[in-house]
Amino acid sequence: MAEVLLSVDRLTMRFGGLLAVNAVSFEVRAGDITALIGPNGAGKTTVFNCITGFYKPTGGRIIMHRPNGGDLELAGMPGFLINQRAKVARTFQNIRLFAGMTVLENLMVAQHNTVMPNVARGLLAVFGLGNFRHLEAAAIEKARHWLDRVGLIERADEPAGSLPYGAQRRLEIARAMCTDPRILCLDEPAAGLNPRESDELSALLMSIRDDGCAVLLIEHDMGVVMRISDHVIVLDHGVGLADGTPTEIKANKHVIAAYLGEEDPEDIAEIVA
Amino acid sequence: MAYALQQLINGITLGMIYGLIAVGYTMVYGIIGMINFAHGDVFMIGAFLSLIALTGLGMLGITYVPLALFLTLIFAAGIAALYGWTIERVAYRPLRGSFRLAPLISAIGMSIALQNFAQVAQGARDKNLPELIPGGFKIFEENGFVVQLSWMQIVITVVTVALLGLFTWLVTKTSLGRAMRACEQDMKMTSLLGIDVNRTIGLTFVIGAALAAVAGLLFLLYYGSINFYIGFNAGVKAFTAAVLGGVGSLPGAVIGGLAIGLIEAFWSGYASVEYKDVAAFSVLIVVLIFMPTGLLGRADVEKV
Amino acid sequence: MIKALKDAGISALIALGIFGAMVGLPSVVGEGGKLSLDPQPWTVAIIVAVVFIGRLGMVLWQANRKPRVKAKSAAHSKYTISNVAGPLLLIVAVVLPMAGDRYLIDVGVLVMTYVMLGWGLNIVVGLAGLLDLGYVAFYAVGAYSYALLAQTFGLGFWTCLPLAGLLAAFWGMLLGFPVLRLRGDYLAIVTLAFGEIIRVVLLNWTQLTGGPNGISGIPRPTLFGLKFTLGDGPDTFAGFFHLTPSVTYRVAFLYYVIFGLALLTNWVSSRLRRLPLGRAWEALREDEIACRALGINVTTTKLTAFAIGACFGGFAGAFFATRQAFISPESFTFIESAIVLAVVVLGGLGSQIGVALAAIVMIGGGEVFRDFNEYRMLIFGLALVVVMVVRPRGLVSGRTPSVSLGKGVHIAADMMSQGHG
């Protein structure tokens, strides 16, 4: 079994009186596509927001195991540092591109920290000092590479906001990949895609995994989930319900109950049978 | 002790006036999300209208103070409401749904225009009004220092509380109030439900302007002197009050107004009059650093 | 027609309500300070008539106007216009002092100051999308820094200029650090409050700043040690080049100083826009949350925008002090911040050439109305409203991509966000 990249341990998130996530634990392994599924309001996006630093969890731990041995506690770390140090990248449920900037610029912004390691270097670049030119050229090359992979090279100079919906989804993934992540977190990447686009997306995600980047995705499209996932985690009402391979999950009575809204697992067993 | 009590009374009176203006800011901000920079100048216009009405009534021989004040209140609030409506119609409505900064610049232009309009029409000199509601009563005396509560301060407090009560009822209990709150949440959806959004927004401006005019009248009576420039300072203070209380929140506007009034009164009383504005603004900055959405503002959880 | 008449009638009634008391009944202070009213029925009648006819004309014109089809290529053609306008303006700016008209050069200096301030503020508002209503504070810090350094330590303009910029940037960071996490209009009111605090302190800290009397006798700049006084000694400009001493030399020199500073501002900000830092600013304006997810330190990025913008404000302030030779808190009121912000928004957020055009139109236009005295600011305010209603996106809108694989395409303004901070 592959090494564990990220372990989420009894993660809890409370908003006022609402317990959105209650002691959820799971692991993300290197080289896996891990899917996080569950009905609406199960707390999936909240888990994402905790992992990527947008929320500070009320309790629990999120540990990133880095290849050089050092473990990193992500809970409570500011979002930008999680991307910089822990190499976690994400996309958003309602796409968040820089709509007024071109496709290429979107990918260049993603490489900000590579091209401009610190403010002083950034300011020196005004006078043409430092190796800025070299870094910028390398960044453009990487952007080109990802534009090729998501099939947007032809539209590199168009404003991101003018792209059709499916292309915007792919661009957001390419942009996240430009930060060289170890884990790519995708929040409903297949939402609103037509079947052909869904297939392309599946292929893209599998190729990203095969390149060595773990993928953690929230998805409602069970076709996509079951086809590409190596590992599935089910949440319901903020609690972990099941954890296993797609085949195991498909057969899990609790999961079926949660999805069909039945109270008694025994009844479900009858229905399924 | 006596001195502190006197500053408390003075601070509350001033805070009431700020609160009345702040309600207009907070309502407009809540409903269309813009800083109505011209609001302070509507307050100034209201003060001038009150001055004109009181002088005119005096010339007509109506000298029974309660009647004169009542007529002035109706006149100033009515005409100022017309100003509020017209400003919205001319300077803001065409920019509805436009880019965020366009209405702001338009409002700043309107503010400059109103200020200079008042200067051109009514002159640049300070206008003084003799005290209409003189006297008051001594609360107590301590070491020769007399704590005074003037009738004027009582009038200001009573009028403000009554108006705010009326206004709160309007916003929480009537269909107009419901329409306003709906517009605040989602303007497009509200219009789809058959509510005239333009009319609702127009009425918000009308109410805000009328309250500002009342504040103008009270200011004129309390300080006895006005000029075309009072709108800027009062406007900035009232907006500060609205932000301090949490923009969009009605009780917040009043609490913010009282807070600013008290800070100014106590700082003037105990430290220095010159730096009272610095004190008020510094408190604003400090409060916002620790409570980024003001005292009563909803702490918005970022939607990601 | 009847509908139009009715519409115009209602407008006239509203005008009567609005102007009836304010214009028709001016309060006059009589003997012994007694107030009385001096009715002006004819003025009101004229205003109401003008509103009636104006509204009638407008309604009829709108009814008979053929619906225009919006030109699709509008954005693109504007782009080329700004390409032509840039070099043209530059040439005019270079040769302007050659005309030798002192008044013209003075106006040029004034316009150029606002161009520079506009470009400085454009970094904060136009690129980073942070609404700053207290920009004048940094202008004041620059001006007083130079005035005080010159008076206390006898330092010259060219030594103080960088110091004034640095001090302004320092104050920008000092303010920015705690407040930059505020969003939207909360940030706006805090910057406004900061501007007012600086002004009130300058007004009341009499020992240091001279209070309302300000600081006078601020030294003029020299050209490599050559003074621009009216003498003809060897250390003066006129004496060194064997010219007849004239005030025009000094004014022209000041003009070129501010011209150079403005060009520097333009060069630095245009260049930054094409560098990672500037790109991060624009990304921040578009979507702050996405920036955080991409590992961009939002606070640092905002702070750099704030500090660099403030720095240019400080330069402009130092220039203002040396040009006027006298400064007082009166020159640093909120209205200055408002005018600079209006220049930026009217020019089109983020557009360098637009800001220059807007400064020329607004400040130069204001000069045309100088003879109208008290009506000048009234017209100015109304003009702001009209221009915003007609062109809410400013004169030159949209942006050019900072990097491209092929030919960069101009991006129309409606794609862009104006920021939320």
Side-chain angles (χ1 to χ4, degrees):
Chain A
M1 191 168 271
E3 54 169 325
V4 175
L5 260 184
L6 182 81
S7 25
V8 174
D9 185 23
R10 278 164 297 148
L11 179 70
T12 304
M13 184 73 209
R14 193 185 280 281
F15 297 105
L18 179 80
L19 194 57
V21 175
N22 187 7
V24 168
S25 303
F26 63 89
E27 284 172 344
V28 176
R29 289 191 190 81
D32 270 8
I33 292 181
T34 309
L36 199 56
I37 65 169
N40 285 326
K44 305 179 298 283
T45 299
T46 306
V47 169
F48 253 44
N49 285 341
C50 289
I51 294 176
T52 51
F54 283 90
Y55 294 160
K56 189 175 186 297
T58 327
R61 288 160 65 87
I62 304 166
I63 308 282
M64 180 80 184
H65 308 282
R66 291 192 288 190
N68 55 13
D71 282 0
L72 211 56
E73 169 70 73
L74 301 191
M77 190 188 269
F80 77 96
L81 280 183
I82 290 183
N83 178 279
Q84 270 183 28
R85 297 212 191 127
K87 295 279 165 207
V88 178
R90 72 170 290 175
T91 65
F92 297 88
Q93 199 169 339
N94 33 3
I95 306 173
R96 283 184 173 275
L97 288 170
F98 306 122
M101 304 175 86
T102 64
V103 170
L104 178 64
E105 283 179 304
N106 268 271
L107 300 189
M108 296 299 284
V109 171
Q111 300 177 66
H112 179 79
N113 292 313
T114 331
V115 188
M116 190 186 110
N118 56 49
V119 177
R121 296 268 293 273
L123 291 178
L124 283 179
V126 175
F127 309 102
L129 301 172
N131 55 347
F132 159 74
R133 235 176 272 272
H134 175 73
L135 293 172
E136 174 98 349
I140 292 179
E141 259 332 289
K142 187 191 278 177
R144 218 189 257 279
H145 165 79
W146 279 104
L147 286 177
D148 260 333
R149 282 183 71 170
V150 297
L152 286 172
I153 192 83
E154 295 298 319
R155 316 191 70 158
D157 294 331
E158 288 175 36
S162 71
L163 295 183
Y165 190 79
Q168 293 200 6
R169 285 255 176 238
R170 276 178 287 145
L171 175 59
E172 212 190 7
I173 294 173
R175 188 179 68 179
M177 288 311 293
C178 276
T179 65
D180 288 329
R182 268 195 288 274
I183 299 182
L184 174 66
C185 299
L186 304 170
D187 199 344
E188 297 194 22
L193 299 190
N194 64 35
R196 197 175 56 84
E197 287 173 325
S198 277
D199 287 345
E200 283 169 8
L201 177 79
S202 303
L204 176 66
L205 295 187
M206 286 194 280
S207 79
I208 287 174
R209 173 194 58 189
D210 296 341
D211 285 352
C213 174
V215 177
L216 176 63
L217 89 154
I218 293 177
E219 190 46 70
H220 280 299
D221 183 335
M222 284 308 135
V224 173
V225 171
M226 296 305 166
R227 199 167 345 121
I228 67 172
S229 306
D230 303 291
H231 189 105
V232 179
I233 297 142
V234 189
L235 290 188
D236 186 28
H237 291 102
V239 205
L241 202 63
D243 190 337
T245 63
T247 341
E248 288 164 10
I249 294 299
K250 263 190 256 185
N252 188 309
K253 277 184 281 186
H254 297 285
V255 176
I256 300 165
Y259 269 88
L260 296 180
E262 277 294 334
E263 292 300 324
D264 188 356
E266 294 302 317
D267 294 347
I268 297 296
E270 281 168 34
I271 295 169
V272 173
Chain B
M1 178 57 208
Y3 190 59
L5 186 66
Q6 185 66 63
Q7 295 307 333
L8 184 72
I9 294 171
N10 295 349
I12 288 176
T13 316
L14 184 61
M16 290 285 178
I17 295 177
Y18 286 152
L20 270 181
I21 311 175
V23 167
Y25 274 114
T26 232
M27 282 306 298
V28 166
Y29 190 88
I31 200 162
I32 52 176
M34 73 167 279
I35 305 176
N36 178 13
F37 244 99
H39 190 61
D41 300 284
V42 172
F43 154 82
M44 178 269 298
I45 296 277
F48 267 103
L49 289 168
S50 308
L51 183 87
I52 293 167
L54 285 172
T55 316
L57 290 169
M59 288 166 79
L60 292 175
I62 300 173
T63 46
Y64 178 57
V65 173
L67 177 67
L69 283 185
F70 180 71
L71 291 176
T72 303
L73 187 107
I74 301 292
F75 174 77
I79 301 285
L82 197 59
Y83 269 87
W85 186 85
T86 312
I87 291 169
E88 194 273 329
R89 180 70 189 81
V90 173
Y92 307 150
R93 195 181 297 178
L95 293 170
R96 182 104 18 94
S98 176
F99 315 104
R100 187 169 76 100
L101 290 177
L104 180 75
I105 299 296
S106 183
I108 289 175
M110 208 30 140
S111 163
I112 295 173
L114 282 177
Q115 229 175 69
N116 289 278
F117 165 65
Q119 188 191 359
V120 169
Q122 295 284 331
R125 287 181 61 178
D126 280 13
K127 296 287 162 67
N128 299 306
L129 191 76
E131 210 172 3
L132 281 183
I133 313 176
F137 53 87
K138 239 183 339 192
I139 299 181
F140 72 94
E141 197 176 327
E142 189 186 85
N143 304 334
F145 185 85
V146 185
V147 180
Q148 285 270 0
L149 179 64
S150 67
W151 290 116
M152 193 56 238
Q153 287 172 322
I154 296 173
V155 168
I156 289 177
T157 312
V158 169
V159 170
T160 310
V161 170
L163 279 178
L164 290 177
L166 180 75
F167 188 67
T168 313
W169 171 79
L170 195 77
V171 172
T172 49
K173 295 283 190 292
T174 64
S175 69
L176 171 65
R178 208 155 35 235
M180 281 178 181
R181 280 177 290 144
C183 283
E184 231 167 273
Q185 297 290 323
D186 189 336
M187 211 176 283
K188 209 175 269 174
M189 192 62 218
T190 311
S191 78
L192 287 177
L193 293 173
I195 290 167
D196 188 340
V197 171
N198 279 334
R199 186 173 150 272
T200 312
I201 294 173
L203 282 173
T204 311
F205 275 84
V206 162
I207 295 168
L211 288 179
V214 175
L217 169 63
L218 297 177
F219 183 94
L220 172 70
L221 294 174
Y222 191 51
Y223 290 100
S225 173
I226 57 170
N227 60 42
F228 70 97
Y229 199 65
I230 57 169
F232 175 71
N233 211 354
V236 169
K237 292 292 175 48
F239 186 64
T240 304
V243 171
L244 190 62
V247 253
S249 152
L250 282 187
V254 180
I255 289 173
L258 287 176
I260 297 284
L262 287 171
I263 292 164
E264 282 193 19
F266 277 92
W267 193 271
S268 310
Y270 287 96
S272 69
V273 185
E274 291 84 22
Y275 286 103
K276 68 178 164 57
D277 292 0
V278 174
F281 290 137
S282 305
V283 168
L284 170 84
I285 294 179
V286 171
V287 168
L288 286 184
I289 287 170
F290 293 103
M291 305 167 88
T293 48
L295 295 170
L296 296 188
R298 270 162 274 147
D300 53 350
V301 175
E302 234 169 357
K303 288 225 180 72
V304 180
Chain C
M1 187 66 199
I2 299 204
K3 195 174 158 288
L5 276 175
K6 201 178 137 200
D7 197 330
I10 293 172
S11 302
L13 272 180
I14 292 171
L16 180 65
I18 284 187
F19 299 108
M22 279 303 283
V23 177
L25 298 171
S27 50
V28 279
V29 185
E31 271 172 45
K34 203 170 152 29
L35 276 178
S36 61
L37 300 178
D38 174 23
Q40 306 280 339
W42 288 111
T43 322
V44 177
I46 292 168
I47 292 175
V48 171
V50 166
V51 169
F52 180 80
I53 295 166
R55 180 70 193 170
L56 190 66
M58 204 171 118
V59 173
L60 290 178
W61 179 70
Q62 275 178 345
N64 295 332
R65 190 175 52 160
K66 289 192 195 89
R68 263 188 312 173
V69 183
K70 261 210 166 146
K72 196 91 176 135
S73 60
H76 193 78
S77 64
K78 243 170 271 146
Y79 180 40
T80 37
I81 284 172
S82 67
N83 270 356
V84 179
L88 207 67
L89 281 180
L90 197 66
I91 293 168
V92 171
V94 170
V95 299
L96 184 91
M98 317 281 182
D101 181 345
R102 175 143 185 233
Y103 173 72
L104 191 68
I105 306 175
D106 265 332
V107 174
V109 169
L110 191 67
V111 169
M112 209 59 96
T113 311
Y114 280 96
V115 170
M116 172 164 183
L117 285 170
W119 278 338
L121 184 62
N122 201 10
I123 294 176
V124 183
V125 180
L127 294 183
L130 304 165
L131 183 49
D132 182 353
L133 290 179
Y135 193 59
V136 74
F138 308 120
Y139 190 45
V141 167
Y144 273 87
S145 299
Y146 170 53
L148 291 172
L149 285 170
Q151 291 229 315
T152 323
F153 302 106
L155 297 176
F157 176 71
W158 296 108
T159 324
C160 292
L161 185 69
L163 290 175
L166 281 178
L167 277 168
F170 170 74
W171 277 96
M173 302 236 277
L174 212 63
L175 167 72
F177 196 69
V179 304
L180 279 176
R181 69 194 186 102
L182 296 176
R183 295 179 67 79
D185 300 297
Y186 287 96
L187 179 67
I189 188 72
V190 166
T191 51
L192 194 161
F194 179 71
E196 283 295 293
I197 289 177
I198 294 270
R199 192 180 62 83
V200 173
V201 170
L202 290 177
L203 196 61
N204 290 301
W205 194 353
T206 321
Q207 293 115 305
L208 185 73
T209 65
N213 297 328
I215 300 174
S216 51
I218 302 165
R220 304 284 193 173
T222 55
L223 178 68
F224 300 110
L226 295 178
K227 285 187 237 143
F228 284 86
T229 46
L230 280 182
D232 53 1
D235 61 340
T236 66
F237 179 77
F240 188 82
F241 290 102
H242 305 293
L243 298 164
T244 327
S246 158
V247 187
T248 313
Y249 293 137
R250 191 186 72 212
V251 184
F253 174 60
L254 283 171
Y255 175 85
Y256 281 117
V257 169
I258 186 67
F259 184 43
L261 286 173
L263 285 184
L264 176 77
T265 314
N266 180 40
W267 180 73
V268 171
S269 51
S270 311
R271 203 157 151 73
L272 274 171
R273 210 180 76 78
R274 282 159 202 287
L275 293 174
L277 189 58
R279 230 178 267 142
W281 290 339
E282 290 203 85
L284 205 62
R285 179 193 67 208
E286 297 286 326
D287 195 323
E288 183 177 332
I289 288 175
C291 279
R292 274 194 270 161
L294 295 173
I296 293 175
N297 186 339
V298 170
T299 315
T300 317
T301 310
K302 284 182 178 176
L303 216 51
T304 51
F306 225 63
I308 293 175
C311 180
F312 288 120
F315 288 156
F319 173 79
F320 177 78
T322 197
R323 182 213 167 190
Q324 301 282 323
F326 163 76
I327 49 170
S328 77
E330 246 174 74
S331 308
F332 307 103
T333 51
F334 168 73
I335 192 82
E336 291 296 317
S337 295
I339 291 176
V340 179
L341 183 66
V343 163
V344 173
V345 177
L346 178 61
L349 287 170
S351 161
Q352 298 291 103
I353 189 76
V355 167
L357 286 173
I360 294 169
V361 169
M362 278 178 60
I363 310 303
E367 283 303 308
V368 174
F369 287 103
R370 184 157 287 282
D371 296 339
F372 290 77
N373 284 325
E374 51 186 355
Y375 287 93
R376 192 167 80 100
M377 286 311 277
L378 177 59
I379 295 168
F380 179 79
L382 290 176
L384 267 189
V385 175
V386 171
V387 171
M388 277 293 94
V389 169
V390 177
R391 287 201 75 103
R393 269 291 186 177
L395 298 173
V396 183
S397 55
R399 63 184 285 272
T400 331
S402 62
V403 57
S404 62
L405 289 185
K407 201 160 63 85
V409 188
H410 187 69
I411 297 173
D414 49 356
M415 284 289 166
M416 291 157 59
S417 152
Q418 287 200 336
H420 306 278

